[in-house]
Amino acid sequence: MPLVTPLDPNHDAETKKLSDFYNETLGFCPNSVLTMQRRPEISKAFINLNKAVMANHGRVTSALKRMIAWVSSNATGCRYCQAHAIRAAERYGAEQEQLDNIWEYKTHPAFSDAERAALDFSLAASMVPNMVDEKIKEELYKYWDEGEIVEMLGVISLFGYLNRWNDSMGTSIEDGAVESGEQYLGKHGWEKGKHV
């Protein structure tokens, strides 16, 4: 049972209009946003931040951004966000081999060295205490420019918020996210946990 019950998608007209973004991303409006709309200024600000962070300005693709989100969510243990991130990666064109082997990104040949540097950055930045160090920086700068690094950290930070929000709320997970979680993450023990 969630800490706070999500409201009907039609509760706040402005949030509903902004949340159409999620129909493309996930195929549904997340229950996290439906909970945030109890304070519409939070739901609207969050959706606009999400749109800004996920906009593409360079070589950090939509699929890579969602895989960065998955690594961050995996590091923090938020099963809700793990399933959402892998679903969005799938919908935004991540290669099947990457989706099937996201757990092994450090060694699997489906991932390039540039992608590994980005995903290692996500892992290090999501740890408590933070593990971003000179080695992480050196690897990032081999493949990515400063604007792209800002985009990546935007994703990591956005999911830091979402991981805390959804794990603390015990947000109920939607059927579509469950399907993606079971398909790509289930073989490694993913389950809904508290997000029923």
Side-chain angles (χ1 to χ4, degrees):
M1 181 89 169
L3 183 63
V4 174
T5 308
L7 293 173
D8 184 272
N10 297 308
H11 176 77
D12 180 72
E14 287 181 71
T15 298
K16 181 170 176 39
K17 184 176 179 185
L18 284 170
S19 69
D20 286 346
F21 165 74
Y22 295 107
N23 290 326
E24 175 189 326
T25 305
L26 298 168
F28 53 82
C29 182
N31 284 329
S32 54
V33 171
L34 299 178
T35 303
M36 287 178 207
Q37 73 175 341
R38 286 188 178 278
R39 295 294 180 262
E41 62 275 16
I42 295 175
S43 61
K44 291 182 280 192
F46 172 77
I47 294 168
N48 283 319
L49 177 62
N50 195 326
K51 287 178 167 184
V53 165
M54 293 303 185
N56 294 326
H57 299 283
R59 297 173 300 139
V60 186
T61 65
S62 292
L64 180 56
K65 284 184 176 185
R66 275 55 183 205
M67 289 188 286
I68 288 168
W70 180 83
V71 168
S72 180
S73 298
N74 192 51
T76 63
C78 180
R79 294 175 182 275
Y80 181 91
C81 292
Q82 290 167 10
H84 277 234
I86 204 72
R87 180 174 180 84
E90 175 187 27
R91 291 175 67 91
Y92 277 97
E95 295 175 21
Q96 187 68 43
E97 199 171 1
Q98 290 181 322
L99 293 167
D100 288 335
N101 296 287
I102 188 76
W103 292 84
E104 290 88 26
Y105 81 84
K106 287 180 177 277
T107 57
H108 198 278
F111 297 88
S112 69
D113 289 339
E115 290 167 329
R116 282 190 190 92
L119 297 173
D120 282 345
F121 175 44
S122 181
L123 180 61
S126 301
M127 304 297 285
V128 176
N130 188 289
M131 301 298 287
V132 176
D133 59 15
E134 199 59 35
K135 182 178 179 200
I136 294 288
K137 180 180 177 181
E138 286 173 17
E139 283 301 304
L140 279 173
Y141 274 79
K142 284 182 187 176
Y143 308 102
W144 305 102
D145 67 33
E146 290 183 339
E148 292 163 336
I149 293 168
V150 165
E151 283 186 67
M152 291 177 206
L153 191 53
V155 173
I156 297 161
S157 299
L158 178 74
F159 273 80
Y161 176 88
L162 283 169
N163 290 320
R164 291 288 168 245
W165 181 276
N166 289 304
D167 246 5
S168 297
M169 281 288 180
T171 307
S172 296
I173 193 165
E174 308 81 4
D175 290 342
V178 171
E179 291 167 18
S180 296
E182 289 174 346
Q183 179 178 355
Y184 297 111
L185 309 175
K187 65 185 173 186
H188 293 282
W190 182 89
E191 56 186 40
K192 292 187 278 189
K194 66 168 96 173
H195 303 285
V196 293

